[in-house]
Every structure is written in structure tokens, then in C-alpha cells.
DNA sequence: ACCTGAACACCGTTCAAGT
DNA sequence: ACCTGAACACCGTTCAAGT
């Protein structure tokens, strides 16, 4: 699993083949099938191992601060293995490793006074936003991503896309980077706060 | 592109091969390379065609109603081609088809009084949430998805996961379905509303 | 108990050649 | 201008056989 993760991180999911991994390990291809029933099971193991890497932040500060801490950790973990996101998508993420963060988030939100349903729905919203943010963060520095938007947006016909032409810089800024991540998180947490029972 | 889309929708992305598509069209494999430089270009064409399918809702009601309408349309379009989501992930989505919805959303938010940066960041948050919601909606009816969570969650050790055990029904509900989608959307829009210049 | 080569049914793409 | 078969360098997995 370790060698497979390294291979996926450095050369992409497409570079991970049973044959290649076996060669990397200096072992016959079929040997792998003694440890994983098929490739699917190997991919599951990679995802599980990555989920176990997530470190939970210290339980200090307001509930908003703590939930933000969890979201940041998830984002970091996902961006440490950018190619891994493509593996994860098809899978349910109901393993203990993946649910440790859900447990922590539920504890924080329940302690803040949210009922069970509000806490579950609220954290789901935070998680989905965080995952999509990481999924749409292209590899490389955020400046590069913004630059690509800067290049593509002005090519649109201005008659049909007047609003986009008027806000090219702002739209490019919203495509990646810490500022956008924190801003979206704040919107969701503000919405939650407005619903909190006094 | 039409036949390829049908193939992806009915048998999954993995079933789409140049050889298979050519056979389906009753044509030599290499013929396809006269129309697409490689498979990547074919996948791009499929994504573009799907983005063009999105219908924009009528410009009536509050800004919240209109933005929700766009989010619902995007979600519908994504869930009409569930396998297509996996293709889309790696791609930037800066084509005219994909940006028509951005144009519409920017017009609505600007008219509601948001400045360019608030509008861009706000819509980006809505879009990311909507995309992740669709991406994590497993194929089949939402009841089935909840059922799978119901089956997996009680298997967790209760000592380590007390909060999850206490809220299994609520967590399963938050995994799929219209109610969760609308709730998350409301959280984000409430957060936005709180920031609106008077 | 653990390992593995050969074989099968697939891939995407290059190249040279057909009409 | 449009099409394509053969060939190359790959896949995941089954099976039967090795130590």
C-alpha cells in the first residue's frame, strides 16, 4: 500500500498497474493477488490508509474555530494526495478512518447546541464543500490556476458573457487559494450559526 | 459524442474504449482518430456536450430563489450523467457551455447588490457544494444510499464513535436526498444574505 | 503456505497503406 | 480527403504449476 501510494502521488492513478507495482516491489505480478483479491481492493486499501493520516486538531476555541480546523485538516490531507481524490470518488467513505472526523465534528456541533439533525446536515455541507474545493484545486501553485482562468475567460464572446468579462479578476481569484477556501467555509458556518438554538 | 455519452451512461466510463466505440459505430478503430486527436479529446467533447444541456431557469423571484434554481439545474444535469462526473473532475471547466451558468449566477448576485468579489466567491461556494453533492450521490434511489449507511455505521466500535452511534438515523439522512441538498444550499445562501450590503 | 510464468482477452496509439 | 489493418507496448485476471 505504501509503495502504491507513492506511485499514485508521483505519477498519477493511471500509472498504477498491478504489473508495475509488482515490478516496483521486485516480485511477480501474481504475488499481489495473494494480498488483494483484485485491483479494486488495492485501491480501497490506499484510500483507507490516506484517511487514517488525517490529524484531528486540538479541542480549543469556539465551535466555528474547531469545525474550521477539521475542514482544513481534511483539505490538507486531500491535497497531499491530489490524485487520490479521483480514486475516492466512487467509494462510499464509511470506513472507521474516514469517520473519525465525522465523530469529532458531531461532538463539537452537539456541544455547541445543535440538535442531531442540524449537526449531521451541517457537517455534511462542510465536508462536501471541502472535498469539492480540494477536487477542483489543480496540481501546482494556486497562482498557476488563477493564471489559467485569466487566460481562458477573456476568450469568451463579451456580448454573451458581459458579467464574466466585468469580473475576470474576481472570478480567477475564486478558483483556488486559501482565501476562497476560508470564505466559503465562513458562509456555511454563518448560515449554521443563524440557525443555532439560543 | 452522442453514442459515446450513451455508452458511458449505460455501462460506465470504464466501458468506453476507442475500440468499443468504433465497433458500436460500425467503423474501424482508427477512423475515430480522424475526428479526435486522442481519447482525451473525446472525453473533453463528452463533457462539453453535457454542459450545453444545462437549462437556465426563468429569471423570477428573489435572488435566493434564482440561485437555488441554477444549483438545482446543475445537480440535475450532473445526476443525469452520473458516470460523467468522474470524467469531469480532472478538467478545468472553463468552456463556454460550462460558464453560461456562471454568467447567469453573476448577473443575479450583482443585481442583488453583491460586489464582484462577493458574487464570484459566493457562487463558487454554491457550485462546489452542488458538484460534491452530485458526486457523492451513489447511483440508485436515495433510500438505497441511506440504507447502506444504516448498515455500515452500527458496525463501528461504540466506545470510539459514541456521537455517530447516537445519531445514526440523522447521519444516514444527511448522505443523500433532496432535503439534504436544499438544507446545505440554504446554509450557504443565509451566510451570503448576512453579508449583503443594504 | 506462499509464490509465479504462461495465456487470454482486452487496451491506446503509430505507421504505412489502402480508396 | 477519408478510412483502416497490422503491429507495438501495454493492461487485469485465470489457471495450473512450482517451492
Amino acid at each position: 500500500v505504501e509503495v502504491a501510494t507513492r506511485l499514485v502521488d508521483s505519477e498519477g492513478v493511471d500509472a498504477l498497474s498491478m504489473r508495475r507495482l509488482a515490478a516496483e516491489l521486485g516480485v511477480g505480478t501474481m504475488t499481489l493477488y495473494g494480498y488483494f483479491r483484485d485491483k479494486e481492493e488495492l485501491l480501497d486499501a490506499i484510500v483507507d490508509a490516506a484517511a487514517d493520516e488525517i490529524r484531528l486538531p486540538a479541542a480549543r476555541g469556539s465551535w466555528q474555530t474547531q469545525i474550521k480546523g477539521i475542514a482544513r485538516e481534511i483539505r490538507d490531507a486531500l491535497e497531499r494526495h491530489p490524485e487520490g481524490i479521483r480514486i475516492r470518488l466512487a467509494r462510499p467513505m464509511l470506513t472507521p478512518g474516514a469517520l473519525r472526523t465525522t465523530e469529532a465534528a458531531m461532538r463539537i456541533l452537539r456541544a455547541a447546541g445543535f440538535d442531531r439533525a442540524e449537526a449531521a446536515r451541517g457537517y455534511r455541507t462542510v465536508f462536501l464543500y471541502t472535498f469539492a474545493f480540494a477536487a477542483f484545486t489543480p496540481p501546482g501553485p494556486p497562482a498557476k490556476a488563477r493564471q489559467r482562468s485569466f487566460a481562458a475567460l477573456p476568450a469568451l464572446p463579451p456580448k454573451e458573457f458581459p458579467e464574466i468579462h466585468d469580473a475576470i479578476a474576481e472570478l480567477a481569484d475564486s478558483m483556488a487559494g486559501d482565501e476562497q477556501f476560508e470564505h466559503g467555509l465562513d458562509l456555511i458556518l454563518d448560515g449554521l450559526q443563524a440557525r443555532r438554538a439560543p
Side-chain angles (χ1 to χ4, degrees), chain A residues 157-169:
Chain A
K159 284 269 156 55
E160 272 180 85
F161 296 94
E163 299 288 350
I164 288 178
H165 271 269
D166 199 42
I168 286 174

Side-chain angles (χ1 to χ4, degrees), chain A residues 66-145:
Chain A
Q66 292 185 64
I67 292 289
K68 273 198 211 182
I70 288 181
R72 288 194 196 105
E73 277 298 324
I74 293 175
R75 180 189 164 208
D76 286 351
L78 287 168
E79 292 187 359
R80 263 200 301 277
H81 308 290
E83 283 285 324
I85 291 171
R86 287 174 61 196
I87 304 178
R88 233 160 302 231
L89 254 198
R91 270 143 255 274
M93 312 242 289
L94 291 168
T95 59
L99 287 169
R100 282 184 312 123
T101 51
T102 302
E103 174 69 20
M106 288 297 284
R107 185 166 21 77
I108 293 160
L109 293 175
R110 295 284 282 135
F114 293 100
D115 67 28
R116 287 190 289 259
E118 281 285 353
R121 291 198 187 286
Y123 177 64
R124 182 72 174 167
T125 305
V126 169
F127 170 78
L128 290 174
Y129 167 74
T130 303
F131 189 95
F133 189 92
F136 275 98
T137 295
K144 203 114 183 238

Side-chain angles (χ1 to χ4, degrees), chain A residues 48-63:
Chain A
D48 268 21
D52 274 330
E53 261 183 38
I54 298 176
R55 291 278 152 265
L56 295 177
R60 263 190 285 109
S62 69
W63 68 269

